[in-house]
Structure formats: C-alpha cells, structure tokens
Amino acid sequence: APWRLMMSLTPSRGCLLDLPWEDILVPHILCHLPLQQLLSLQRVSKSFQSLIQLYLANMRCFDSSQIGPAIPRAAFVNLLKDNEVLQQLVLQNCSDWLTDRELLPVIGQNHHLHQIQLKGCAQLSRHALVAISLSCPNLRRLSLAHCEWVDSLSLRSLADHCKALEAVDLTACRQLKDEAICYLVQKCSRLKSLSLAVNANVGDMAVEEIAKCCPELEHLDLTGCLRVKNDSIRVLAEYCPKLRSLKVKHCHNVAESSLSILRSRGVELDVEPPLQRALVLLQDVVGFAPFINLQI
C-alpha cells in the first residue's frame, strides 16, 4: 500500500526520488503519510531507506500510537537517534518497554521540545523528569498522568527550569503533597491548565496557592482530592477570573455554597446543582422526568 501510494505521486517523467528531498519530499509529501507506512517504505530500496532516515532526522512530532504500543526498544532508539529538532514527543502507555535508558538520550539531544506526554509510562524514574527540566527550557505542555515515580524533588527541578509551562497533568502522581504543588505554581505562574486528580495528599493549601499564583488559570482538575474544602474553592473563585472549568467530583467536602459562585460566572463544573441532582434521582426512582414549574 505505501509503495502504491508513492508510485501514484511519481511524476510522469523521471523518478519520485529525483525531486528535492529536503525541499519537496520531506516537508510536502512524506509528512502526509502515516509513520508506520513510512517505516515500511524503508524496505523498498536503499534510496528509500536513506530518504526515510532523512525524514526521521527532521521529524518535528513523534507519536508512538502511530506505530503501536509495543515498539521494540531498539527500534525506538534507532528511529530517533539522529533527530535533534523534535518539538512534540508523545509516548503514552509505553510502560511495557520504555525506561530511562531509551528516553534520556532522546531528551538530551532535543532542546526544542515544547510538548511531552508520558501518561502511564510507569517504568521511568525521577531521573527522566530531571532530564526534561534540564534539557527543555521552552517546555509548555507536560503530561505525567499515572507516573507514580514523580516525586517532590524532581518536580522542584521542573519548576526551577521550565517556567514557561502552561499545562501540566499530574493525575495520580501520588507522591506529591501540598508543598510540592505550591513550589511548582510559585515558579510557573503562566499555568492555564493543571490536573491534580486522584491525589489524596492534595488539600486546601495547594489549591489556595494555585489561585494566588496563577491568574491565567483556565482549567483545574481536582477529581478525588478528598482534602479539598469549600474555603479554597472560594479563594479560587476570587483570584482566578479566567477559570473556565473545574472538576471536583468525589471531593466530598466541597459543597454548593462555594461552587455557586463559580456556577454563576458560567464556569463549567462536573457536578450538578442540588436541585438537578434531586431530579435525576427522582427520575431513576420513578422512571420518568416529572414536569416541575418553579417560580422565583
């Protein structure tokens, strides 16, 4: 299939490979083909192998999902060994094969990365986050969801060196406590999106510091943060005028008395107001939605 596609792009005279590789083939043709097909093209001929290697060396975005979750370690290393211009690196759920040994060389030679996703990469260690902080000063988006190896020291390193961060996902990073989150937001005041979901160690102190340090905050996920209470939600409403969405499902100490302030401003919440919840429960019990005329 990839060979037929490439042949269909061949000019009527001459060979496709006669076109300028760096000016035409790499930026205008190969970029439209799935990565898995490009890797298959390497087997066509030595010329195609050289062409694909050139493409890989100039690739700006690498997403492991385009190949599949079970990439052989050696294959991953070989794919990116010559690349020093990556801007986006997406390696979600690669826990079966990705360790520091494979990731650190890629991070170390790519200083232009502005987006890194490592969701579910459970075999990495804190050294991976330290390497990211030292090599990627322009990092803006980072996902470390379900990376329980993230600790307070590595997060401090990130905060010290990556102050342009705008979005950080720390879902289920269970080692982190309030003090580590406070340090992060004090250093990274440009944050627009932050997830601290499924972390029972996060409480009011962290949320209040987020509110006071991050005036640009638009999205905050506190799902399952059992220690968060009404007082910090009120502070959030006071200090974050740009907040667009807040998730507080399973935060049992957060009530409508604090959420109503945000609700009145049009902030999207993942919990319904008490009356709406009551109607839903009634519908479940009776089997239909009653018509209720409320006059206020």
Side-chain angles (χ1 to χ4, degrees):
W3 170 244
R4 287 196 298 273
L5 178 57
M6 293 298 284
M7 288 299 292
S8 68
L9 296 171
T10 305
S12 56
R13 295 182 180 180
C15 174
L16 174 70
L17 294 174
D18 291 338
L19 292 172
W21 288 14
E22 294 189 25
D23 296 330
I24 301 296
L25 292 182
V26 170
H28 298 294
I29 296 180
L30 298 187
C31 63
H32 296 292
L33 297 178
L35 184 56
Q36 196 163 22
Q37 289 191 351
L38 290 174
L39 298 180
S40 298
L41 278 172
Q42 291 187 104
R43 299 194 294 268
V44 173
S45 68
K46 290 184 178 180
S47 295
F48 270 109
Q49 183 178 16
S50 300
L51 173 62
I52 302 307
Q53 287 298 320
L54 177 66
Y55 172 83
L56 293 172
N58 288 276
M59 190 166 46
R60 297 296 196 273
C61 174
F62 179 83
D63 186 343
S64 61
S65 66
Q66 294 185 8
I67 303 175
I71 307 173
R73 286 186 172 91
F76 171 75
V77 173
N78 186 60
L79 286 175
L80 296 179
K81 62 182 176 61
D82 298 321
N83 193 307
E84 299 179 359
V85 295
L86 274 180
Q87 296 178 3
Q88 300 178 49
L89 180 62
V90 181
L91 297 170
Q92 296 187 85
N93 300 314
C94 296
S95 58
D96 290 340
W97 60 271
L98 185 67
T99 68
D100 290 356
R101 184 175 180 179
E102 291 78 41
L103 181 64
L104 265 56
V106 175
I107 297 297
Q109 67 191 32
N110 282 280
H111 306 294
H112 304 288
L113 280 162
H114 59 74
Q115 178 177 344
I116 299 176
Q117 294 189 40
L118 298 173
K119 178 181 178 181
C121 294
Q123 287 196 60
L124 298 175
S125 77
R126 60 184 301 272
H127 300 296
L129 187 52
V130 173
I132 289 171
S133 65
L134 296 178
S135 297
C136 309
N138 301 314
L139 192 64
R140 295 199 299 272
R141 305 183 67 85
L142 175 64
S143 174
L144 298 169
H146 303 279
C147 294
E148 297 195 21
W149 44 266
V150 176
D151 61 9
S152 59
L153 288 176
S154 57
L155 194 69
R156 288 174 71 94
S157 178
L158 179 74
D160 286 335
H161 296 94
C162 299
K163 298 180 181 179
L165 279 167
E166 296 179 358
V168 179
D169 188 346
L170 298 172
T171 298
C173 292
R174 303 176 198 274
Q175 290 194 59
L176 300 178
K177 299 181 180 179
D178 281 348
E179 292 79 8
I181 303 303
C182 290
Y183 191 88
L184 173 69
V185 298
Q186 287 164 6
K187 297 286 185 175
C188 302
S189 58
R190 300 183 195 177
L191 280 174
K192 296 181 180 180
S193 177
L194 178 63
S195 176
L196 303 173
V198 201
N199 192 331
N201 294 317
V202 171
D204 284 342
M205 183 171 77
V207 176
E208 291 181 13
E209 198 68 17
I210 292 167
K212 294 174 182 178
C213 294
C214 303
E216 302 297 315
L217 191 69
E218 297 178 2
H219 306 282
L220 180 61
D221 189 346
L222 300 172
T223 304
C225 294
L226 303 178
R227 294 176 56 233
V228 174
K229 302 182 182 65
N230 282 321
D231 288 345
S232 62
I233 301 300
R234 293 191 184 97
V235 175
L236 195 69
E238 179 181 356
Y239 283 89
C240 296
K242 296 185 179 181
L243 193 67
R244 293 167 52 193
S245 72
L246 173 66
K247 295 183 178 181
V248 288
K249 189 172 288 186
H250 307 303
C251 295
H252 304 303
N253 295 312
V254 175
E256 185 64 21
S257 58
S258 61
L259 294 177
S260 60
I261 306 170
L262 294 168
R263 204 184 297 279
S264 66
R265 280 172 28 194
V267 175
E268 181 184 344
L269 302 173
D270 64 341
V271 292
E272 296 173 335
L275 177 59
Q276 186 64 35
R277 286 201 297 271
L279 291 176
V280 171
L281 287 173
L282 184 58
Q283 180 180 358
D284 290 342
V285 172
V286 214
F288 67 94
F291 176 79
I292 298 178
N293 183 21
L294 295 177
Q295 294 183 350
I296 299 175

